[in-house]
Amino acid sequence: MAVPRRSLDGRLFWVLGLVCAMYQIFFVRSAAGQTAQLSVNASPQNTQMIPENMFGIFFEEINHAGAGGLWAELVNNRGFEAGGPNTPSNIDPWLIIGDESNIIVATDRSSCFATNPIALRMEVLCESSGNDVCPPGGVGIYNPGFWGMNIEEAKVYKVSMYIMSSDSMDLTVSLTSSDGLQNLAAYTITADKEDFKEWTKVEFDLQSSERNPNSRLQLTTRTSGIVWFDQVSLMPSETYMRHGYRKDLASMLANLKPKILKFPGGNYVMGNYLSNAFRWSETVGPWEERPGHFNDVWGYWTDDGLGFFEFLQLAEDLGACPVWVVNDGASRNEQVPSATIAAFVKDVVDGIEFARGDPGTSWGSVRAAMGHPEPFQLNYISMGNQECSMHYYKENYRKFYSAIKASYPDIKIISSCDRSTISPVEPADLYDVHVYTSSGDMFSKSSMFDSTPRGGPKAIVSEYAVTGNDAGRGTLVAALAEAAFLIGLERNSDAVEMASCAPLFVNDNDRRWSPDAIVFNSWQHYGCPNYWMLHFFKESSGASLHPSTIQVSNYNQLVASAITWQNSKDGNTYLKIKVHLFPCPGIKLS
């Protein structure tokens, strides 16, 4: 609960007293008939400042969190690259309309993009009249998106594609229901021979006349000939901050008021093999020129529309501090020796130049060309993903540390090693901590940092979650345990700098990990209990922590915290008290 310290009228006192009475009744009934006593020292002279960037979010490309999720692109495998570099290849989830007697499709290497050599060749064997008549609706191809496209009534969708053909063309691009029977919007491209003899970009809008959350994009014709397609995109015209993010999902993030955004993942950054690791430089520039890559850890292709630039832009849009997890030359099954790590070191330094360099620099000019001439505020680099035990990590880490600090001495570098290993020889500004455990153990970890020595590098608890049987797909018990853990981090914020939960998103059609904070499909979304729990901490970053104690005889499963913060909208200073009891005797939560 929160009440303004300077504007407590009689009604608010009444509400406060009622809530306190409810707390007391709850504790009496829950703690074997005993009453808990909560004491808060609300004096401004005896406070501890919580770090400005204390609580935030961690994004990993898992569970189709980005591709088919936060990134609003509706076409799945837009560049036909997901089947690999050898042709002919699998074009899944694209499918044909018609049969082999009237249409033949196959991939080849005729694309105009050197980094995306694969294109789709469609040969139509039927006509609108004559001996080989096409079906009434024509033949062609369609894309169902990521388990259906959510098309809303009266909304506008931007279509972009590359076409090449030496034949005359009468091509209909349409949005339809999943069975093709309901037509929502259509646009016809007509051309004479030679009009598209070279690769040509075609762009137009489609406005839907009806709503269907399980739609598809289809390209059909009743004209014989050969046409090539590449980089077929369908985007809603309305996206979060007009930057390409799905509005409903990005708004869920914004409502948490996160102070940090750690990205683009953990295992996703590493890959099972380095050939499939996240390479930042291949995810910037025009989307048509991004090669995409197979997310081999979580088992699906991503076109990398949600790339390095988009993560930095998202952090800026959310008012969050970006924390970039870099690939330090290690995958889950490989590691680059220190003797040959220099190219990986340079790659990270180049990435910082992309984010922070002046438009006149090599990589800063690429960022500026993408529409952001001002530097991004990138101040944190996380070295790898819990790789301290790997053979070359420490030696490689020193090379990364020295190179980054030489060019950007203000950047704070986060080590994957624990606090005990950090020294002048093994320097770090922060050290990374991951906590995945049961609900009971998570609650007990509210005291995890109580005995941590003050002074020296602070922790960033960049991944934490209750897992296991009591976590399910997101339970109240798990959320309560995580809340208790965060109260412990508040209390120990002189030893902990930042924290973020994980994982953030799950597409309900592709659960690779549970639980997750936000569940969605093509048209729906909801927050799990741990998502809503985070709202109790969104004013904590930069707030004043007041000493508080809570006591009850023979019961130690209670934690509490008290903060004050100033509301920027009304200028009032508010007091918020959080009390958590776990577990609740005699009460079963699920």
Side-chain angles (χ1 to χ4, degrees), residues 39-50:
S39 300
V40 176
N41 182 345
S43 168
Q45 285 76 37
N46 193 15
T47 61
Q48 171 184 313
M49 295 302 298
I50 298 175

Side-chain angles (χ1 to χ4, degrees), residues 173-231:
V173 181
S174 56
L175 297 174
T176 74
S177 57
S178 60
D179 58 9
L181 299 179
Q182 179 191 23
N183 195 303
L184 308 173
Y187 181 90
T188 300
I189 302 170
T190 58
D192 295 327
K193 285 187 177 182
E194 307 296 313
D195 284 356
F196 286 96
K197 66 179 180 179
E198 304 292 341
W199 280 107
T200 303
K201 186 175 185 179
V202 179
E203 296 178 286
F204 53 88
D205 291 342
L206 289 174
Q207 185 171 20
S208 178
S209 60
E210 299 181 66
R211 176 183 179 274
N212 192 313
N214 189 21
S215 303
R216 71 190 197 189
L217 174 72
Q218 60 182 39
L219 316 176
T220 55
T221 185
R222 299 186 70 199
T223 302
S224 64
I226 300 173
V227 58
W228 281 264
F229 300 104
D230 200 8
Q231 299 300 330

Side-chain angles (χ1 to χ4, degrees), residues 514-525:
S514 285
D516 309 271
I518 301 169
V519 183
F520 66 91
N521 57 24
S522 68
W523 63 289
Q524 298 168 307
H525 66 277

